[in-house]
């Protein structure tokens, strides 16, 4: 190991740095340790890394730096070897075992640490410290259920441990269970009011659910208890930089002397511009630095990096080649040269460059990541896995290899492993949009659509401009039957990027730590040729040839026993009746392959899709059956029901006009006809049809509910209330009927009775968000705004993208005088739906109340543009005139009827 010789200037800089370090700032201690290490002061470096970990035990970068320092100095090998020798001599030496487990933890070898803690826990089942350490270790590797079990064991033994409640709250938060997390964190603070991490996590949760006042309060308290945590600074890692970049490295630490500021002024300013994406300004500063005589090597490297970020890979390769003539031992430069070649599609040369980086430093995690991406592009899955896993082992806090490994596992069908990895990432940092998107993609592939939707929604919430999450959220919403939401998200995604791309791997460079990202090219995609002759090539459409191709793709028939087609379709219907949709779909497809009538199969598949909420797909199947068997009432009823859900009422009316003469005594057909007529406002005709259904099944709660709806549309409130009560008498657990009856009672100001019905509905179905929102409206009417906000907040905890709830929350906050919080709620609505009329109108109102008339005008102009016929547009025009804003700017002439 080489010990560097320090110049007097170097020692002066180091002494000045040490004096400026805040003794309570973990990041500053870590960064000083990096500087010490790069100058050969290894013992001092280890001391600083240990200090950083003592201040912040979760600081993975400091833990990683400590491991490297141990490795370089031999301390790591000596300590582990000595402790193992002690245990071999005396297996009952629990003190040595504790130290060995801690040494493994400090150096990132979690599995080995867990094996030691498990031995200790088996021997000492009531040892709270050992149980706590085992729980921490399980949590750090993403085994949240195991960690929870050990934490619960500790809580049984020591119910007053605040740190245990905090850890449980953290796990619950990362599992999306915000209400439960809040309860545990509050319990932790009740036991120990001085836990800054608990306050900080509560601030995140309340910010997520829209309560910005509480979020700010908790964030302020966290900063008071731990001021260092509120600082924003880069944490340096030893294996991201070579010693040649000492000055660039120390640029992330406050400069100790004025002469250093002057010596690197333009270079430092250029790096700051580059970090903010201001590439032209960065280029100008680097040029000025060269003229001013600043370090030419640093300037050359900065300009090479800038070319890479700007997408000029050819220029970047040229610049990196020039740099290598003087710095051929720099793993960083070899790696970034490889990235530039990779971007050009020159994979073989790129991989050679990555391997040259590893010859300089075989622990350079960024190069291992990039080799993994290169191998994945070459379809060498095994080698890609090995390389990416190596990057993860070397630098656990580096995100790119985790994301790439998750994508690799997902694309090769190893979904459980992909899921586990993304959850581990989110346990460490729950604010990563890319990880939430990856988690959602894995869940979607596993057909866990509702969970996937939540993950994608979190990703969009964290980064509204993250296009992949927008597209994926639209896919999930479509599969859940929320076609309006799917259309909204697709539109938002198209505005950000009109081209949907498959998930891509990420290449690693040092500059990503200042916010820059480099995506690997889509090497598997076909080349797009522009210019003359471009376009779709001619081809001959030959159905027989295509059928043959499809038969070849399907492969040989499965070797399962053949069944009669009728029986197989009946089996599909049985599965459907039991809610086993996947099995039903499989059996229906098998029936058609074995010769069942295609129209019959289409009816079964259509009903499967309809019950799953996939109304567009269901409509296609029912239409197919309708074409084959014209006038089939089953197909007509299915078509009408799907069109109802898709809000295509005129088309639904056409279908039921054809269905009604064939309805006979079939109650399902009669209900379908009655529902469409009710939705179309034809209450008299609807009641005639529904009277027949009621005569056939007078005690059917579904029939009574539909009768109530039709009576309400016809203005017969007494009849509606009577029908709802009959429905509830027939089925006391009919939550939907209770809520709708409650809405009538609210309109009659029978608040006590209404609240009784709605709360009973929520007892029956606690997750019934519609019931919660009706209850919130009731509380608002009674002036119980605080209680109303709590109810809406609970809805948003479970459904953070529920736009109706967000609008209600915003209005309630505005009524409370909390304009800033209200504005935040409405802006959050616009993140998901930029054209939501209610949100645009209310934001204009809030801007006007704050004297920001120009901003109000902007919101209202946008509202009139996107929804000119709406009630809100009419109100916006009136409000504009009332506040003496130029009405013509809102295009009042467009729709005068609304004003």
């Amino acid at each position: 190991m080489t010990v560097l010789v320090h110049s007097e200037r170097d020692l002066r800089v180091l002494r000045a740095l040490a004096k400026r370090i805040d003794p309570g700032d973990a990041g500053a201690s870590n960064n000083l340790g990096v500087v010490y290490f790069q100058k050969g002061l290894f013992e001092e470096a280890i001391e600083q890394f240990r200090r950083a970990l003592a201040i912040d035990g979760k600081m993975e970068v400091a833990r990683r730096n400590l491991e490297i320092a141990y490795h370089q100095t031999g301390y790591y090998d000596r300590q582990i070897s000595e402790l193992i020798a002690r245990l071999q001599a005396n297996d009952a030496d629990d003190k040595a075992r504790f130290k060995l487990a801690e040494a493994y933890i400090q150096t990132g070898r979690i599995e080995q640490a867990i094996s030691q803690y498990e031995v200790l826990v088996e021997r000492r089942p009531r040892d709270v410290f050992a149980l706590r350490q085992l729980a921490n270790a399980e949590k750090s590797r993403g085994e949240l259920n195991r960690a929870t079990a050990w934490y619960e064991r500790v809580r049984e033994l020591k119910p007053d441990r605040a740190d245990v409640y905090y850890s449980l709250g953290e796990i619950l938060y990362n599992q999306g269970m915000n209400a439960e997390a809040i309860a545990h964190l509050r319990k932790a603070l009740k036991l120990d009011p001085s836990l800054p991490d608990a306050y900080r996590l509560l601030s995140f949760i309340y910010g997520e659910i829209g309560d910005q006042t509480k979020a700010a309060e908790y964030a302020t308290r966290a900063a008071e208890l731990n001021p260092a945590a509120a600082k924003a600074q880069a944490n340096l890692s030893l294996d991201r930089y070579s010693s040649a970049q000492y000055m660039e490295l120390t640029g992330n630490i406050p400069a100790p002397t004025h002469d250093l500021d002057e010596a690197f002024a333009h270079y430092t300013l250029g790096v700051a511009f580059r970090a903010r994406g201001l590439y032209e300004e960065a280029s100008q500063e680097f040029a000025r630095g060269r003229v001013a005589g600043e370090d030419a090597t640093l300037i050359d490297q900065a300009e090479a990096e800038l070319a890479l970020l700007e997408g000029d890979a050819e220029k970047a390769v040229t610049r990196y080649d020039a740099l290598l003539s003087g710095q051929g031992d720099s793993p960083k430069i070899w790696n970034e040269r490889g990235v530039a070649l990779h971007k050009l599609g020159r994979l073989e040369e790129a991989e050679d460059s990555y391997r040259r980086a590893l010859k300089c430093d075989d622990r350079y995690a960024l190069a291992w990541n990039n080799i993994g991406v290169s191998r994945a592009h070459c379809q060498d899955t095994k080698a890609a896995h090995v390389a990416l896993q190596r990057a993860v082992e070397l630098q656990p806090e580096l995100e790119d290899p985790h994301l790439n490994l998750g994508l690799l596992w997902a694309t090769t069908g190893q979904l459980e492993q992909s899921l586990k990895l993304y959850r581990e990432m989110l346990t460490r940092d729950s604010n990563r949009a890319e990880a939430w998107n990856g988690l959602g993609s894995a869940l979607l592939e596993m057909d866990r659509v509702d969970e996937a939707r939540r993950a994608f929604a979190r990703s969009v919430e964290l980064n509204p401009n993250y296009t992949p999450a927008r597209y994926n959220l639209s896919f999930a919403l479509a599969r859940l039957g929320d076609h309006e939401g799917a259309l909204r998200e697709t539109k938002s995604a198209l505005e950000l990027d009109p081209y949907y791309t498959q998930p891509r791997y990420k290449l690693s460079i040092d500059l990503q730590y200042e916010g820059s990202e480099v995506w690997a090219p889509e090497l598997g995609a076909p080349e797009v040729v522009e210019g003359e002759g471009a376009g779709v090539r001619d081809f001959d459409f030959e159905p027989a040839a295509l059928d043959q191709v499809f038969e070849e793709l399907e492969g040989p028939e499965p070797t399962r026993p053949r069944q009669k087609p009728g029986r197989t379709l009946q089996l599909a219907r049985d599965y459907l009746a039991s809610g086993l949709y996947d099995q039903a779909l499989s059996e229906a497809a098998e029936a058609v392959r074995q010769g069942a009538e295609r129209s019959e199969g289409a009816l079964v598949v259509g009903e499967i899709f309809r019950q799953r909420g996939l109304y567009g797909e269901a409509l296609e199947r029912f239409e197919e059956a309708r074409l084959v068997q014209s006038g089939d009432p089953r197909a007509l009823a299915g078509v009408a029901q799907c069109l109802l859900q898709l809000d295509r009422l005129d088309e639904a009316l056409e279908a039921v006009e054809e269905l009604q003469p064939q309805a006979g005594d079939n109650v399902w057909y009669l209900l379908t006809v009655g529902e469409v007529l009710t939705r179309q406002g034809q209450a008299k005709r609807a009641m005639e049809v529904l009277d027949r259904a009621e005569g056939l099944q007078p005690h059917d709660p579904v029939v009574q509910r539909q009768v109530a709806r039709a009576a309400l549309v016809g203005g017969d409130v007494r009849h509606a209330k009577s029908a709802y009560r009959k429905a509830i008498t027939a089925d006391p657990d009919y939550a939907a009927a209770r809520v709708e009856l409650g809405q009538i009672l609210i309109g009659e100001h029978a608040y006590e009775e209404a609240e009784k019905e709605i709360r009973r509905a929520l007892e029956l179905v606690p997750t019934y968000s519609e019931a919660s929102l009706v209850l919130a409206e009731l509380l608002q009417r009674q002036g119980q705004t605080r209680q109303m906000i709590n109810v809406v907040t609970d809805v948003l905890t479970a459904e953070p993208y529920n736009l109706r709830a967000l609008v209600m929350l915003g209005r309630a906050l505005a009524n409370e005088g909390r304009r800033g919080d209200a504005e935040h709620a409405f802006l959050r609505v616009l993140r998901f739906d930029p054209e939501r009329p209610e949100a645009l109108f209310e934001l204009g109102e809030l801007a006007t109340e704050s004297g920001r008339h120009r901003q109000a005008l902007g919101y209202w102009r946008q509202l009139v543009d996107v929804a000119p016929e709406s009630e809100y547009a009419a109100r916006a025009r009136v409000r504009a005139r009332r506040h003496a804003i130029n009405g013509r700017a809102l295009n009042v002439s467009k729709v005068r009827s609304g004003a």
Side-chain angles (χ1 to χ4, degrees), residues 293-517:
E294 294 182 10
D295 191 307
T297 301
L298 286 177
I299 297 293
D300 289 341
Q301 186 166 298
E303 290 180 336
E305 294 161 343
L306 188 60
L308 182 59
L309 293 179
E310 288 180 313
D312 192 344
E314 291 281 6
K315 182 179 179 181
V317 170
T318 302
R319 290 187 179 276
Y320 281 119
D321 284 342
L323 283 165
L324 286 169
S325 63
Q327 299 183 60
D329 61 347
S330 170
K332 177 184 189 301
I333 294 174
W334 278 113
N335 179 64
E336 289 173 11
R337 176 181 181 270
V339 170
L341 291 165
H342 204 139
K343 296 288 286 183
L344 292 169
R346 292 155 62 179
L347 269 186
E348 188 174 338
E349 295 173 75
E351 190 164 329
D352 177 69
S353 201
Y354 299 144
R355 295 193 184 279
R356 293 290 293 272
L358 292 176
K359 284 184 179 178
C360 300
D361 180 359
D362 66 353
R363 299 177 63 80
Y364 195 60
L366 281 65
W368 278 113
N369 173 76
N370 296 342
I371 286 175
V373 175
S374 175
R375 289 292 84 209
H377 277 157
C378 293
Q379 308 299 315
D380 187 353
T381 303
K382 185 176 179 180
H385 174 269
V386 170
L388 292 172
Q389 193 65 55
R390 179 64 174 150
V392 168
E393 291 168 359
L394 287 169
Q395 199 164 327
E397 79 281 1
L398 183 62
E399 289 185 353
D400 290 357
H402 288 87
L403 292 170
N404 290 335
L405 196 53
L407 177 56
L408 180 69
W409 276 331
T411 54
T412 54
Q414 300 175 73
L415 295 173
E416 287 291 349
Q417 287 178 279
S418 180
L419 200 64
K420 179 181 176 183
L421 183 141
Y422 288 125
R423 282 177 169 160
E424 288 174 359
M425 290 187 69
L426 291 167
T427 299
R428 291 191 296 272
D429 182 0
S430 61
N431 294 317
R432 299 305 307 173
E434 298 94 333
W436 280 113
N437 182 61
L439 179 68
S441 298
L443 289 166
L444 199 62
E445 284 293 318
M446 299 169 77
D447 207 31
R448 294 162 64 175
V449 186
D450 193 55
E451 294 173 78
R453 175 204 64 186
R454 292 171 184 261
F456 294 138
R458 280 213 177 191
S459 182
V460 169
E461 175 71 15
L462 289 167
N463 184 358
N465 295 322
Y466 187 40
T467 312
R470 286 278 189 187
Y471 277 114
N472 288 335
L473 180 55
S474 74
F475 301 152
L477 291 172
R479 288 179 63 176
L480 289 168
D482 184 357
H483 297 282
E484 180 184 351
L487 184 62
R488 179 188 69 234
E489 290 304 323
T490 300
K491 184 177 179 182
S492 298
L494 287 170
E495 290 172 356
L496 292 168
D497 185 347
Y499 300 102
Y500 173 74
T501 58
Q502 293 297 324
R504 288 189 289 170
Y505 295 102
K506 292 182 76 173
L507 297 169
S508 293
I509 59 172
D510 288 327
L511 296 188
Q512 67 195 59
Y513 300 102
E514 60 180 47
S516 302
E517 292 182 324

Side-chain angles (χ1 to χ4, degrees), residues 135 140 150 183 236 262 295 320 367 381:
S140 69
W150 291 121
L236 308 180
E262 293 179 349
D295 191 307
Y320 281 119
T381 303

Side-chain angles (χ1 to χ4, degrees), residues 606-858:
E607 189 59 23
I608 294 168
F609 284 142
R610 189 186 74 82
Q611 291 193 26
R612 293 184 79 167
L614 304 173
Y615 301 111
E617 293 85 343
L619 179 61
E620 291 179 6
R621 303 313 190 279
F622 288 129
E623 289 284 15
E624 180 185 347
R626 184 183 181 185
L627 286 172
V628 175
Q629 298 185 28
S630 179
D632 187 324
R634 297 171 298 172
L636 289 169
V639 166
Q641 285 290 334
C642 291
L643 291 169
L644 264 179
Q645 296 298 329
L646 296 170
D647 209 29
R648 292 159 60 178
L649 298 182
D650 290 341
E651 296 171 74
L653 183 59
E654 291 177 8
V656 297
E657 293 287 9
E658 189 177 349
L659 173 63
Q660 186 173 355
Q662 305 180 61
D665 291 341
N666 187 299
V667 173
W668 167 244
Y669 298 157
L670 292 169
L671 284 173
T672 299
V673 174
E675 186 175 4
V676 172
L677 292 171
T678 301
R679 289 277 298 276
Q680 282 282 41
Q682 299 185 33
K684 184 177 179 180
R685 282 187 63 192
M687 286 301 297
E688 291 172 357
V689 174
L690 293 169
D691 281 346
R692 181 169 180 78
E694 188 177 13
L696 293 166
Q697 294 186 12
H699 304 297
D700 187 320
V702 177
V703 171
Q704 291 298 337
R705 182 191 180 200
Q706 193 56 55
V707 168
R709 287 177 160 185
L712 204 57
V713 169
D716 192 344
V717 178
R718 175 182 287 183
H719 191 174
K721 288 166 61 179
S722 173
Y724 277 127
R725 288 196 168 105
K726 287 179 182 178
I728 293 167
T729 300
D731 181 1
D733 294 342
Y734 201 176
R738 289 186 181 275
V739 172
E740 290 170 16
L741 174 60
Q743 288 176 298
I744 294 176
L745 295 168
I746 290 172
E748 295 179 337
H749 304 286
Y751 295 146
E752 185 177 348
E753 190 179 355
E755 185 170 350
K756 178 182 176 182
E757 293 293 346
I758 297 163
R759 290 196 182 278
R760 176 57 183 152
L762 284 169
E763 288 174 11
L764 294 167
V765 187
T767 58
Y768 192 3
S769 59
E770 176 66 22
S772 295
L773 295 180
V774 172
L775 176 61
E777 290 175 353
L778 173 58
L779 294 171
Q780 180 72 23
R781 285 196 179 206
Q782 295 176 295
Q784 300 177 46
T785 306
R786 292 295 175 89
Q787 295 92 321
M788 177 266 193
I789 290 174
N790 289 338
V791 171
V792 174
T793 300
D794 288 341
V795 173
L796 290 170
T797 300
E799 300 178 18
Y801 63 91
N802 190 314
L803 304 189
R804 180 182 166 196
L806 279 170
V807 169
M808 292 175 66
L809 177 64
R811 286 173 174 161
L813 292 170
N815 291 337
E816 284 276 282
R818 294 161 59 181
R819 294 195 183 99
D821 294 336
E823 189 166 354
H824 178 85
F826 292 126
L827 288 172
R828 192 173 176 190
V829 173
L830 295 186
R831 284 188 182 184
F832 290 101
D833 185 359
E835 297 180 356
R836 190 83 173 192
E838 311 100 287
L840 290 168
F841 177 79
E842 298 291 353
L843 282 167
E845 288 281 88
L846 290 169
T848 299
E849 291 170 11
S850 302
R852 294 174 282 131
H853 299 294
R854 186 182 298 274
Q855 192 175 14
L857 177 62

Side-chain angles (χ1 to χ4, degrees), residues 14 17-18 21 25-52 59 61-62 65-66 69 236-238 246 249-250 253:
L14 292 172
L17 280 173
I21 290 299
D25 187 339
S29 294
N30 172 74
N31 292 350
L32 180 58
V34 171
V35 177
Y36 279 146
F37 189 90
Q38 297 288 14
K39 301 306 292 182
L41 302 173
F42 299 115
E43 291 185 9
E44 291 85 346
I46 288 173
E47 181 184 351
Q48 291 299 326
F49 295 144
R50 282 177 167 172
R51 180 175 296 173
M59 193 175 187
V61 66
N65 288 340
L66 186 60
L236 308 180
S237 175
L238 290 173
Y246 165 67
L249 203 155
T250 57
I253 303 175

